[in-house]
């Protein structure tokens, strides 16, 4: 069952245990919250203690004490089930209601009309633990019983207080119930938001790791291949390329560590320098800008990611002989003269997906397609 279905379910008995459980770090508070209302049983208790018939008095005392114990036992049971994450069957809940009504009936001979006070407790409990329609039906039934008893029983006076108490008690508990359900919904929403935040962080890290290692390993592979070809023809340059491979591997390791720490930011100027070196190692002519002063500071990190992803795709897939990067205040463009979009790892590869996510966060648009001279073109434009 998903969260929406769970919250839409009319049976919200779990709220009772949740409220008591929330007070577990304050000893006695939860029981005081529920037990304080038993004060209103003092009126029928006083009448019972002053009753003349000993047998009826004993029966009435048994009814009052049993009613109070059963009432509190229900909340203990609710809290225990909530802590164990067990849902109480409807039959058990109705059994508590019936038990309270039976104990209230024991008070009648000695307490008389004051025994109707117990109906307020029954209605309050019913509104709390039963589905809303059942709780309302129970309240209507108790109200009808009270009105009929007040009118048909000799010596009972109808001053309206008992019926009004039943109605007001039901409405008050209904309000409390709605407040508890809203609290449950809020807790569930906060949990969902926390899970989404964790998922978003995982996506961010996976995206950064792909972009970092994809570019770095591509350049390392190209330089290693170049060093292998130069090993016999030009050992000195081959050694220099091997040294570059070592340096690139160390830099990639540092980038991964920075990404794990969550503090990694790219430098547009640094990415242009790295792009030039990578393109030269791949024997691709690089036509790159030498300054980035024209680009606003807030756009430079996004443009740096575009340069990194674009150059990585050119080296990996294009088969190009020339790569051109153009910068302006609001746009960066990477163009090659290679085989075109079909040569790139699909214009919807992981790197481009991550780039689109970054662009969306910055309010920029991504253009991927064929260049005017038939190669591949990647451009990102920031809204002015």
């Amino acid at each position: 069952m998903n969260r929406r279905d769970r919250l839409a379910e009319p049976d919200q008995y779990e709220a009772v245990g949740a409220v008591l459980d929330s007070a577990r770090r304050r000893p006695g508070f939860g029981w005081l919250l529920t037990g304080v209302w038993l004060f209103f049983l003092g009126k029928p208790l006083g009448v019972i203690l002053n009753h003349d018939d000993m047998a009826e008095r004993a029966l009435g005392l048994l009814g009052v004490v049993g009613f109070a114990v059963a009432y509190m036992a229900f909340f203990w049971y609710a809290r225990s089930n909530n802590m164990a994450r067990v849902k109480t069957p409807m039959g058990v809940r109705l059994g508590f209601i019936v038990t309270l009504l039976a104990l209230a009936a024991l008070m009648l001979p000695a307490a008389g009309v004051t025994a109707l006070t117990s109906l307020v407790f029954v209605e309050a409990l019913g509104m709390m633990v039963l589905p809303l329609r059942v709780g309302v039906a129970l309240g209507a039934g108790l109200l009808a019983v009270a009105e009929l008893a007040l009118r048909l029983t000799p010596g009972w006076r109808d001053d309206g207080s008992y019926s009004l108490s039943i109605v007001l008690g039901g409405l008050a508990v209904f309000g409390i119930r709605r407040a508890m359900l809203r609290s449950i919904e809020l807790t569930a929403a906060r949990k969902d938001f926390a899970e989404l935040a964790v998922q978003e962080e995982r996506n961010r890290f996976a995206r950064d790791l792909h972009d970092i290692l994809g570019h770095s390993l591509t350049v390392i592979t190209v330089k290693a291949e170049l060093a292998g070809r130069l090993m016999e023809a030009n050992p000195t340059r081959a050694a220099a390329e091997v040294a570059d491979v070592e340096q690139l591997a160390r830099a990639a390791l540092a980038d991964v560590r920075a990404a794990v720490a969550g503090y990694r930011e790219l430098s547009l100027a640094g990415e242009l320098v790295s792009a030039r070196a990578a393109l030269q190692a791949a024997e691709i002519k690089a036509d790159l800008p030498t300054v980035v002063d024209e680009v606003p500071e807030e756009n430079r990190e996004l443009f740096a990611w575009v340069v990194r992803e674009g150059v990585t795709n050119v080296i990996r897939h294009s088969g190009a002989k020339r790569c051109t990067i153009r910068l302006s205040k609001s746009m960066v463009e990477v163009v090659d003269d290679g085989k075109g979009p079909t040569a790139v790892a699909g214009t919807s590869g992981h790197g481009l997906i991550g780039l689109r996510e970054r662009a969306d966060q910055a309010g920029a648009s991504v253009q991927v397609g064929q260049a005017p001279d038939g190669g591949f073109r990647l451009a990102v434009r920031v809204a002015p």
Side-chain angles (χ1 to χ4, degrees), residues 187-206:
T187 300
R190 286 176 175 170
K191 182 179 179 181
D192 286 348
F193 288 147
E195 291 174 353
L196 288 174
V198 171
Q199 185 61 42
E200 179 61 26
E201 181 61 18
R202 288 174 179 169
N203 291 339
R204 180 202 68 79
F205 179 72

Side-chain angles (χ1 to χ4, degrees), residues 15-16 37 71 75 119-130 132 135 165-181:
V16 178
W37 302 108
Y71 181 79
F75 286 98
L119 298 185
V120 181
F121 290 86
V122 176
E123 167 59 2
L125 193 59
M127 284 294 292
M128 180 65 72
V129 305
L130 299 177
L132 183 58
S165 297
I166 293 173
V167 173
L168 293 180
L171 291 175
V173 174
F174 173 76
I176 295 172
R177 168 176 170 158
R178 296 305 300 172
M180 288 192 294
L181 296 185

Side-chain angles (χ1 to χ4, degrees), residues 43 113-120 143 146-147 150 157-167:
K43 187 174 182 179
V113 67
T114 60
L116 296 181
T117 303
S118 61
L119 298 185
V120 181
L143 185 61
E147 288 294 324
L150 287 167
R157 183 173 57 87
D158 182 11
D159 59 0
S161 61
Y162 294 104
S163 298
L164 181 62
S165 297
I166 293 173
V167 173

Side-chain angles (χ1 to χ4, degrees), residues 119-250:
L119 298 185
V120 181
F121 290 86
V122 176
E123 167 59 2
L125 193 59
M127 284 294 292
M128 180 65 72
V129 305
L130 299 177
L132 183 58
R133 291 182 180 179
V134 179
V136 171
L138 175 65
L142 294 176
L143 185 61
V145 169
E147 288 294 324
L148 289 174
L150 287 167
R151 284 169 171 74
L152 299 179
T153 304
W156 285 17
R157 183 173 57 87
D158 182 11
D159 59 0
S161 61
Y162 294 104
S163 298
L164 181 62
S165 297
I166 293 173
V167 173
L168 293 180
L171 291 175
V173 174
F174 173 76
I176 295 172
R177 168 176 170 158
R178 296 305 300 172
M180 288 192 294
L181 296 185
R182 291 291 178 265
S183 176
I184 293 173
E185 291 176 358
L186 180 59
T187 300
R190 286 176 175 170
K191 182 179 179 181
D192 286 348
F193 288 147
E195 291 174 353
L196 288 174
V198 171
Q199 185 61 42
E200 179 61 26
E201 181 61 18
R202 288 174 179 169
N203 291 339
R204 180 202 68 79
F205 179 72
R207 181 184 62 202
D208 284 359
L209 197 62
H210 171 273
D211 293 344
I212 292 167
L213 293 182
H215 176 79
S216 299
L217 294 178
T218 296
V219 177
I220 288 172
T221 301
V222 170
K223 283 187 168 290
E225 290 175 351
L226 179 60
R229 293 198 302 268
L230 295 173
M231 194 68 71
E232 296 182 0
N234 191 342
T236 302
R237 186 179 173 188
E241 295 295 336
V242 171
D244 286 346
V245 168
E246 180 183 359
Q247 183 179 0
L248 285 169
R250 293 181 184 277

